[in-house]
Amino acid sequence: MKNYYSVLGVPKGASDGEIKKAYRKLAMKYHPDRNEGDNSAEEKFKEVSEAYAVLSDKKKRSQFDQFGSEGFHQKFSQEDIFRDFDINEILRGFGFEGGNPFQGQGGGFGNPFSQGRPPQREPQIPPLKKELAVSFEEAALGCQRTLAISRNGTTQEETNVKIPSGITHGKVLRLPGKGHISGSRRGDLHLLVNVLSHPLFRREGRDVVVDAEIKLTQAMLGATIEVETLNGIKSVKIPPGTQNNTKLRLKEVGIQFSPGVRGDQLVRVLIKIPKELTEEQILHIRFLQDTGI
């Protein structure tokens, strides 16, 4: 998979200006007008233009940084990548006036990725749509899955799918070329993600929420309890005087969004009030009542 930063020769934290400067230099170097008949230069020009289409767009760049190259290309087709990207205007800004660099003559500024030919309208292969059930943990932390995909009614083929960490219920993973087969052409595979519910955890944005039931005395006097997290069991301190529905925060054990970027876990405290009391307990409670508690 392509690392767009490497394609442009810039670091991941490069500024918008540095990215534009790098692309301009490479576009000038590999532009077909300067490399007539050189197919390798033409392919290189397309590659750097694709990288710039992603890294010059804040939303697309954020998605690429978040999901990485493989996860990004599962979510975005080439059509998605070049949507709202006006390469013609960019080329004019770099001093290239005239026709489409990929159309040997005339035609104005058409599709710059048409392999030097006028665009041919072939019937599109409808995407193969499947539903993919993933566990709460798989969606929160990401995982790799191998699926046996049925194509054209009979053909089965194993397909590796990377589930990006932090993916939400209802998202669609797009896998180019993994769908129906028609002659030498292959359509895309669209996987509708169904995140299964969890008996303990639920999600609030980047955070995981879990309920913890404690005794009345623990709420009044404080205590240390243990709760489940995505990273196993963790100890949580209950401060004295904790109120019902208080949320205590465990740092960076929530939803994984990218390496080093993670949400928290919120522990919602539920104070259990006993429905029945022994005679001795009633005496103690009444004594506390008389003290003003």
Side-chain angles (χ1 to χ4, degrees):
M1 288 292 182
K2 302 171 187 173
N3 183 324
Y4 292 133
Y5 292 102
S6 298
V7 170
L8 293 184
V10 296
K12 188 174 181 180
S15 67
D16 293 344
E18 289 171 327
I19 290 171
K20 184 175 183 179
K21 182 179 178 181
Y23 172 64
R24 185 182 191 279
K25 179 180 177 180
L26 294 170
M28 298 285 279
K29 179 179 179 180
Y30 294 112
H31 194 282
D33 285 358
R34 298 189 172 192
N35 300 271
E36 189 172 352
D38 187 341
N39 292 332
S40 64
E42 179 178 324
E43 289 304 316
K44 190 66 177 177
F45 181 81
K46 294 176 184 177
E47 188 178 56
V48 298
S49 295
E50 180 178 329
Y52 186 63
V54 172
L55 299 185
S56 64
D57 184 290
K58 288 184 178 180
K59 290 184 179 179
K60 292 172 187 171
R61 182 178 180 180
S62 175
Q63 293 283 304
F64 182 77
D65 290 344
Q66 179 176 329
F67 297 116
S69 179
E70 186 176 351
F72 179 84
H73 284 91
Q74 288 180 356
K75 291 170 67 66
F76 291 89
S77 65
Q78 191 171 71
E79 181 183 352
D80 296 328
I81 289 172
F82 288 107
R83 186 174 290 121
D84 302 324
F85 179 73
D86 190 352
I87 191 174
N88 307 312
E89 185 66 30
I90 292 167
L91 293 177
R92 281 194 288 268
F94 291 167
F96 289 100
E97 298 292 343
N100 182 336
F102 295 103
Q103 291 177 346
Q105 53 188 342
F109 284 86
N111 176 7
F113 299 92
S114 60
Q115 301 286 345
R117 301 181 298 271
Q120 300 294 319
R121 288 190 175 273
E122 292 184 341
Q124 283 192 335
I125 302 176
L128 174 60
K129 297 181 180 180
K130 300 282 186 179
E131 188 170 311
L132 176 61
V134 298
S135 69
F136 186 95
E137 292 91 343
E138 287 174 326
L141 302 178
C143 69
Q144 192 86 22
R145 294 278 291 274
T146 300
L147 309 177
I149 300 297
S150 297
R151 295 177 175 85
N152 300 80
T154 57
T155 308
Q156 273 208 350
E157 181 179 308
E158 285 196 344
T159 299
N160 292 322
V161 182
K162 182 179 180 180
I163 311 299
S165 58
I167 196 166
T168 54
H169 182 80
K171 287 288 186 181
V172 175
L173 294 177
R174 296 174 174 84
L175 280 69
K178 298 296 184 179
H180 292 300
I181 302 172
S182 176
S184 61
R185 296 187 303 140
R186 298 174 69 110
D188 296 343
L189 171 63
H190 290 186
L191 295 174
L192 176 65
V193 176
N194 175 20
V195 180
L196 303 176
S197 60
H198 193 278
L200 296 177
F201 303 134
R202 62 184 182 279
R203 179 173 177 170
E204 289 184 2
R206 293 191 174 194
D207 298 330
V208 174
V209 182
V210 65
D211 291 339
E213 198 173 73
I214 64 172
K215 298 176 181 179
L216 176 61
T217 51
Q218 290 177 312
M220 296 172 67
L221 301 176
T224 298
I225 63 172
E226 292 185 337
V227 297
E228 288 280 356
T229 75
L230 292 172
N231 288 71
I233 295 176
K234 300 284 185 183
S235 295
V236 179
K237 288 187 176 181
I238 306 296
T242 294
Q243 302 298 301
N244 194 47
N245 285 317
T246 295
K247 288 182 179 178
L248 305 174
R249 188 176 297 272
L250 295 175
K251 291 285 189 179
E252 298 181 346
V253 289
I255 305 296
Q256 179 82 47
F257 277 83
S258 60
V261 179
R262 205 162 167 184
D264 302 331
Q265 177 159 316
L266 304 179
V267 180
R268 187 174 72 132
V269 176
L270 301 176
I271 300 173
K272 183 178 180 181
I273 305 297
K275 294 181 178 180
E276 296 181 359
L277 298 172
T278 65
E279 289 296 328
E280 183 180 3
Q281 288 171 333
I282 292 173
L283 288 174
H284 286 297
I285 296 296
R286 283 178 175 168
F287 173 76
L288 291 175
Q289 184 180 39
D290 292 340
T291 66
I293 292 179

